[in-house]
Amino acid sequence: MPKKKNSSQQASFFRREVPKMPEGYYSSGPNPNLRRFVEQHTTPYDLETDDYDVPPFDQPITTTKATAIYRMHTYWSKKPHDAIQRYIRHYTKSGDLVLDPFSGSGGTSLAALMEGRAAVAIDLSPAATFITKNYCTPVDVDELQRAFEQLKAKVKPEMDWLYETRCDRCDGRAITSYTVYSYVFECPRCLSKIPLFDCIEKQPKNEEGKSIKINICPFCYKNGHEERIDASCKRFDPIPVLVSYDCIDGCKPKRSERFYNDENDKKRSYFHKFDLLKIAEINNQEIPYWYPTNRMLNSSSDDNTRWGLLWRPYHSGINYVKDFYTKRNLWAVALVLNELSYLGHSIKDTLSFYLTSILYKASIMMAHNEDGAGRVQKGILYIPPIEHDINVLHFLDISHGDFIRGYEEVNKVQTTELCISTSDSKNINIEDNSVDYIFTDPPYGGAVQYGELNHIWESWLKFDTFWTKNEVIVNDFKDKSESIWENSLQAVLVECFRTLKPNRWISLCYHDSSEGTWQLIQDIMTEIGFIPETTSSTLFIDTATKTLKQLFSEKITKRDLVINFRKPREGEVAAKLQITGDEDPSSFNEKAGIILREALERTPGAPADRLYDELVSRMVRKGEFQRHNFDALLRTVAEETGGRWYLLDTVDQLDETEAKKENAAAARLETFMEKYLQAHPGEGGVHYSNLFEEYLPVSDKPRRLLQDWLPEFFFKTESGTWRPPVTEDERQVKTSLRLSGELRHIKRFANALNAGVPPAERDRPSNAATLAEWIYQCRRSGLYDLGRVLYERGGLRFDSLGDDSQMQVEEDYQICVKRGSVAEKKGKKKKEQLDLL
């Protein structure tokens, strides 16, 4: 009887022809076809005939990451393409040209192709454009199925040798599914060397009432002591502690496992006889295939303790890309890569895409979970204390299913008009006014270190790994400061302005936790000439899945916010605070005074040159401002002490206009808080991210950032959320703070201490009692880091105070320490949970 054809073979008769990509659409370097592609796909802009009139998109989007396409390949801060499709559908029509100057994994490009729009994807990272290429290229799934089966047949004999073991139930053949490695620690009490895997787990509650996981020495526990095993203990190299295997000679269930110290004598014997000896056999041989031998981030230094911003102490001994893999998995990945070199080009790229999708999972960065699965922390090079070492071929098989389902969706693209260029978006080689819409997710400061994270992919693919010298990022290790990042980002956005047609839109996806960064982006966009949208609500892309940061951090956006800007028509000017050169003396002095006051509020004690640069950077016509005018202007808002400048006392009094703006914004937030807390009676306050989203649509915002004036109106709870005053006394406390300007004095004094400059005399506390009161105000206002600075560096002793006052200031200080720095809290939490080393 003939075999029944499987469903995929039957379905192939009814599939439409797989769309073909244009010649030269992708390049792992600057694409020489880019300019010609744009010329072929743009409609020349004509002011006289242009009738484009599209209002800003105003619908928040809730979607999911649990789609076939999304699951194909990981990338940092990836956005679901179906959400971007809605923006493209709103702002463009069929055949229009869409640009993404920070392509990442290609979500914008894929969304454009799905909607029948032509797309241009640009990214400096060759790993990013490689992923974009494979996400956006339709593939014949039947041909892919055949190619994958051929690849499996080629590598299977050697893979079987790499992962072979024996079944301890039937003594038959078995294949290792995964091996668990555990770091070993020395107990500080009994000096026993204990794999963390063997420790007793407990989950006591911390000071905030939340359960935390701690690990206890099992030997001490038997003797009635609960000695913690954590990052402070002496650490030794990891050892194999568990093997999970599949019997291939008929046992049911076929999956079983055994431990290095198994209570079953036979299992323990097989672990040592077959599992450990196999690992030793592999470790004693040379890998016969190429694998990357370059150092992490191409460092040529002999200093092995620091090769990037993502370096951590637990990376001791890891200096090369190959060091992120066990010998067995390094061999297995190299074997697959070697066989891929013999395949046809298009399928080779697709199957290489398979391989890059598991490169992190195949590494020692894969953490072992109690449910027998593994997990890699996204966005960081992290080595867990208990590692989950996978079977590479098994994972390729799992990925194959995801890719087949994903490509069945990718093949539904409405067009293949795409050009991908691995190049610098600070200089885009296309004509002015040629792009119909831009949707992009820029790198926000140093939030995601794309270059360091992509380095492993690019090393395996033999791509250029030196591109990071031009990366738009904040990274101290690469000497990339915030000002360099700001200038680089501005250069890209200037190109966006140049290439975008007048009256068309650019959407920026925003997910950084800093309101200051958000404000900076707004300033950059308006200085360039873009006009911000006016909407009544905040736009976001919300997915059901949240990162750990989004779930637990006090001050981070829990959803991806989207901000829309429009390029003005000819003759239209964006409303913004800038010095145009056309002001009369009165309006010029008012604008310049605002800029200087804001600068000195942020950086008290700044030198004149720095303030001059700040002012000139806001001028449209450079070089017109004479220095002697600047000196006279500066003295209207500040005074000099020892070559440094400090705000005059009078500027502490908020002018009436600014006070009205802050009061109006605070009233809006208080109404929002009250409604939120009524709907969530179990919560004591509102998360900063919710307040931030509610605040974004305020059209006439105060000059000060939300984070600066929020403590003057509301109280911070123990869990880090915010609540409104609940009694008249509490409301009066906040009113008095605003009228006295005391918090602004406190901030300037603490900022000066942090900057290492002498504070202005008027900003100093007059005595220890005043300093103690300031620390109390920091505690009440949630300014915990400032309270700690005041106590530790304020320069006054509290022993002159009465006993009660001394106890009070000590209590305030301890609370500031405990609830203070977010970074320290994260570090403490990781230590408690032993996500360490």
Side-chain angles (χ1 to χ4, degrees):
M1 184 176 179
K3 286 186 177 180
K4 184 179 179 181
K5 292 184 178 180
N6 62 42
S7 58
S8 66
Q9 290 174 322
Q10 290 175 332
S12 66
F13 289 111
F14 302 99
R15 286 197 186 101
R16 67 186 180 96
E17 186 177 348
V18 177
K20 301 295 182 185
M21 301 303 293
E23 188 73 24
Y25 76 104
Y26 161 73
S27 174
S28 60
N31 195 320
N33 302 309
L34 173 60
R35 193 177 186 89
R36 183 172 69 250
F37 175 87
V38 172
E39 289 171 353
Q40 292 172 348
H41 292 87
T42 189
T43 303
Y45 174 75
D46 184 348
L47 175 63
E48 299 299 324
T49 60
D50 184 61
D51 60 355
Y52 183 89
D53 186 20
V54 176
F57 185 76
D58 61 357
Q59 297 297 315
I61 296 174
T62 300
T63 185
T64 178
K65 296 179 181 178
T67 65
I69 290 178
Y70 195 94
R71 282 196 292 255
M72 287 166 68
H73 200 293
T74 191
Y75 200 74
W76 333 113
S77 70
K78 184 167 63 170
K79 305 298 177 290
H81 73 280
D82 61 321
I84 306 174
Q85 278 182 252
R86 293 183 58 181
Y87 279 85
I88 291 174
R89 199 179 307 143
H90 175 83
Y91 283 118
T92 65
K93 63 182 184 302
S94 180
D96 278 354
L97 182 61
V98 177
L99 167 68
D100 185 352
F102 295 104
S103 172
S105 59
T108 297
S109 299
L110 179 59
L113 300 184
M114 289 285 188
E115 292 296 321
R117 279 63 163 165
V120 171
I122 302 175
D123 205 292
L124 260 176
S125 166
T129 54
F130 175 80
I131 293 171
T132 294
K133 183 253 187 187
N134 283 284
Y135 254 127
C136 296
T137 301
V139 173
D140 186 322
V141 293
D142 291 334
E143 182 183 355
L144 183 58
Q145 179 72 42
R146 289 191 295 270
F148 182 69
E149 292 300 330
Q150 291 172 6
L151 175 66
K152 276 207 308 182
K154 287 281 188 181
V155 302
K156 190 175 186 305
E158 198 162 344
M159 287 288 190
D160 286 348
W161 171 79
L162 284 170
Y163 295 99
E164 69 180 350
T165 187
R166 303 292 291 184
C167 175
D168 51 55
R169 294 167 293 171
C170 71
D171 297 326
R173 295 169 301 157
I175 292 293
T176 301
S177 176
Y178 62 84
T179 303
V180 176
Y181 287 79
S182 173
Y183 276 94
V184 177
F185 296 89
E186 183 176 87
C187 174
R189 184 182 185 89
C190 69
L191 302 182
S192 299
K193 292 181 175 59
I194 311 149
L196 188 64
F197 185 81
D198 290 344
C199 288
I200 296 170
E201 287 188 5
K202 289 206 165 187
Q203 293 190 340
K205 294 187 180 299
N206 63 12
E207 296 158 348
E208 297 176 356
K210 296 179 181 178
S211 294
I212 59 171
K213 186 174 75 173
I214 63 172
N215 293 274
I216 306 296
C217 170
F219 301 108
C220 291
Y221 188 76
K222 289 179 181 179
N223 294 321
H225 303 291
E226 294 194 357
E227 187 67 32
R228 286 195 185 190
I229 303 297
D230 57 27
S232 64
C233 300
K234 187 176 181 180
R235 188 192 71 169
F236 300 88
D237 290 341
I239 63 170
V241 293
L242 180 154
V243 165
S244 177
Y245 68 86
D246 291 331
C247 177
I248 57 177
D249 274 348
C251 284
K252 293 184 180 180
K254 65 177 183 178
R255 177 67 56 87
S256 187
E257 63 184 24
R258 51 185 173 242
F259 302 86
Y260 81 109
N261 58 353
D262 209 297
E263 293 180 355
N264 183 299
D265 291 340
K266 185 176 182 182
K267 283 181 172 289
R268 187 173 66 254
S269 172
Y270 271 49
F271 187 96
H272 290 268
K273 184 177 180 180
F274 295 106
D275 301 323
L276 293 187
L277 285 180
K278 169 53 67 175
I279 293 172
E281 179 187 2
I282 294 169
N283 288 344
N284 288 329
Q285 296 192 43
E286 292 295 324
I287 298 176
Y289 311 108
W290 178 90
Y291 55 84
T293 56
N294 51 309
R295 292 178 65 91
M296 284 301 297
L297 305 182
N298 298 299
S299 171
S300 59
S301 169
D302 291 332
D303 181 6
N304 295 334
T305 62
R306 184 164 160 80
W307 38 247
L309 198 64
L310 297 184
W311 183 90
R312 296 293 184 272
Y314 45 68
H315 286 151
S316 175
I318 294 182
N319 307 306
Y320 301 86
V321 173
K322 65 182 179 65
D323 296 335
F324 277 104
Y325 298 85
T326 61
K327 183 74 169 288
R328 174 157 58 188
N329 279 11
L330 185 67
W331 191 316
V333 174
L335 166 63
V336 174
L337 194 63
N338 180 70
E339 290 301 330
L340 285 176
S341 65
Y342 299 109
L343 294 177
H345 185 268
S346 60
I347 293 299
K348 173 188 174 183
D349 268 9
T350 307
L351 292 178
S352 296
F353 193 39
Y354 278 30
L355 188 60
T356 57
S357 76
I358 71 161
L359 281 179
Y360 268 74
K361 296 172 184 175
S363 75
I364 59 176
M365 289 182 279
M366 186 81 150
H368 179 69
N369 290 347
E370 293 177 356
D371 60 2
R375 179 178 59 84
V376 176
Q377 283 200 24
K378 289 183 66 174
I380 186 171
L381 302 177
Y382 172 74
I383 299 174
I386 301 179
E387 302 161 4
H388 186 95
D389 204 46
I390 66 168
N391 180 311
V392 168
L393 188 56
H394 283 188
F395 255 73
L396 280 177
D397 236 343
I398 294 171
S399 296
H400 173 62
D402 289 337
F403 276 91
I404 290 294
R405 288 184 289 274
Y407 276 120
E408 286 174 344
E409 295 299 313
V410 171
N411 290 347
K412 296 176 183 178
V413 294
Q414 300 300 304
T415 183
T416 57
E417 298 304 323
L418 171 65
C419 187
I420 304 171
S421 182
T422 310
S423 51
D424 194 339
S425 289
K426 293 192 286 292
N427 183 18
I428 303 176
N429 184 29
I430 61 177
E431 292 286 347
D432 297 356
N433 303 330
S434 55
V435 174
D436 294 294
Y437 177 58
I438 299 172
F439 187 103
T440 194
D441 181 13
Y444 288 96
V448 180
Q449 294 295 322
Y450 296 95
E452 295 187 16
L453 292 166
N454 292 1
H455 185 80
I456 292 175
W457 286 329
E458 288 160 355
S459 297
W460 277 102
L461 293 171
K462 301 182 181 179
F463 282 151
D464 167 39
T465 55
F466 291 91
W467 64 271
T468 55
K469 64 181 181 294
N470 294 319
E471 186 177 10
V472 181
I473 204 76
V474 175
N475 187 313
D476 293 338
F477 177 74
K478 300 174 187 172
D479 296 323
K480 288 186 174 291
S481 64
E482 288 189 9
S483 62
I484 292 175
W485 164 76
E486 178 185 341
N487 293 335
S488 298
L489 180 60
Q490 183 165 5
V492 175
L493 295 174
V494 165
E495 283 291 87
C496 290
F497 187 87
R498 178 185 68 80
T499 58
L500 187 65
K501 291 177 181 177
N503 205 30
R504 296 332 192 256
W505 292 88
I506 175 173
S507 300
L508 299 182
C509 204
Y510 174 87
H511 55 266
D512 188 52
S513 59
S514 168
E515 185 202 352
T517 304
W518 173 82
Q519 187 63 53
L520 178 61
I521 294 294
Q522 297 256 35
D523 289 345
I524 289 175
M525 294 297 281
T526 53
E527 285 175 16
I528 290 170
F530 285 106
I531 300 174
E533 66 177 344
T534 302
T535 59
S536 58
S537 60
T538 299
L539 300 184
F540 57 77
I541 297 174
D542 192 12
T543 58
T545 307
K546 298 287 187 292
T547 65
L548 290 176
K549 279 185 179 181
Q550 288 174 323
L551 287 173
F552 298 115
S553 293
E554 284 184 8
K555 191 177 173 187
I556 191 169
T557 51
K558 292 180 179 293
R559 302 181 282 206
D560 294 307
L561 309 184
V562 180
I563 316 170
N564 295 307
F565 297 86
R566 182 173 57 83
K567 180 176 177 177
R569 306 176 189 88
E570 285 189 29
E572 185 181 8
V573 179
K576 55 187 177 181
L577 179 63
Q578 60 180 5
I579 298 176
T580 64
D582 298 324
E583 294 84 1
D584 59 35
S586 176
S587 60
F588 173 85
N589 289 340
E590 181 182 355
K591 288 183 178 180
I594 290 172
I595 294 168
L596 291 172
R597 288 199 297 271
E598 290 175 347
L600 282 168
E601 188 74 40
R602 292 193 308 270
T603 55
D609 288 346
R610 185 171 176 180
L611 297 169
Y612 181 74
D613 291 342
E614 178 82 15
L615 185 57
V616 171
S617 70
R618 302 295 293 272
M619 298 180 65
V620 173
R621 302 173 191 169
K622 311 297 182 186
E624 294 187 1
F625 191 56
Q626 300 301 317
R627 184 59 183 268
H628 64 271
N629 293 334
F630 169 73
D631 290 338
L633 176 63
L634 181 57
R635 293 184 187 280
T636 65
V637 297
E639 65 179 4
E640 183 183 14
T641 302
R644 297 185 178 275
W645 291 83
Y646 302 89
L647 285 173
L648 295 171
D649 233 356
T650 53
V651 297
D652 277 333
Q653 301 168 8
L654 279 178
D655 60 74
E656 185 178 350
T657 302
E658 281 301 296
K660 286 181 179 179
K661 290 180 182 180
E662 290 185 0
N663 287 331
R668 172 175 176 145
L669 292 185
E670 183 163 352
T671 300
F672 172 76
M673 285 180 176
E674 290 170 350
K675 291 180 179 178
Y676 181 93
L677 293 174
Q678 286 175 3
H680 303 82
E683 298 185 24
V686 181
H687 195 282
Y688 178 86
S689 66
N690 299 104
L691 298 177
F692 186 51
E693 288 188 19
E694 180 66 18
Y695 176 66
L696 282 181
V698 173
S699 56
D700 194 15
K701 292 184 176 64
R703 289 196 300 267
R704 291 197 297 164
L705 297 179
L706 172 64
Q707 62 192 20
D708 289 333
W709 59 260
L710 196 65
E712 296 181 12
F713 289 87
F714 306 110
F715 291 89
K716 200 170 189 180
T717 69
E718 290 187 5
S719 60
T721 56
W722 294 88
R723 66 168 180 84
V726 294
T727 66
E728 192 55 40
D729 286 345
E730 284 191 343
R731 193 171 297 278
Q732 185 58 45
V733 166
K734 292 300 181 183
T735 301
S736 298
L737 273 178
R738 294 195 297 276
L739 293 177
S740 68
E742 188 171 39
L743 275 185
R744 290 188 288 282
H745 273 292
I746 293 171
K747 289 176 183 176
R748 287 205 299 272
F749 180 62
N751 286 341
L753 295 177
N754 271 330
V757 300
E761 284 301 321
R762 69 171 55 86
D763 288 334
R764 295 177 182 273
S766 56
N767 51 48
T770 301
L771 183 59
E773 173 63 21
W774 285 10
I775 295 170
Y776 173 72
Q777 293 295 353
C778 288
R779 168 192 168 181
R780 291 288 303 272
S781 301
L783 302 174
Y784 304 123
D785 289 338
L786 296 188
R788 182 173 181 175
V789 168
L790 295 179
Y791 183 94
E792 295 176 354
R793 306 186 205 171
L796 296 174
R797 297 172 60 89
F798 298 107
D799 50 12
S800 61
L801 304 177
D803 291 344
D804 290 345
S805 297
Q806 288 187 49
M807 290 176 62
Q808 180 64 54
V809 74
E810 188 65 32
E811 178 186 339
D812 294 337
Y813 168 65
Q814 292 299 335
I815 289 175
C816 286
V817 171
K818 290 176 182 177
R819 300 181 193 165
S821 168
V822 173
E824 287 185 11
K825 287 177 70 178
K826 287 180 179 176
K828 180 181 178 182
K829 184 174 181 180
K830 284 184 178 180
K831 181 179 177 182
E832 289 173 335
Q833 294 179 332
L834 279 180
D835 285 340
L836 48 88
L837 305 181

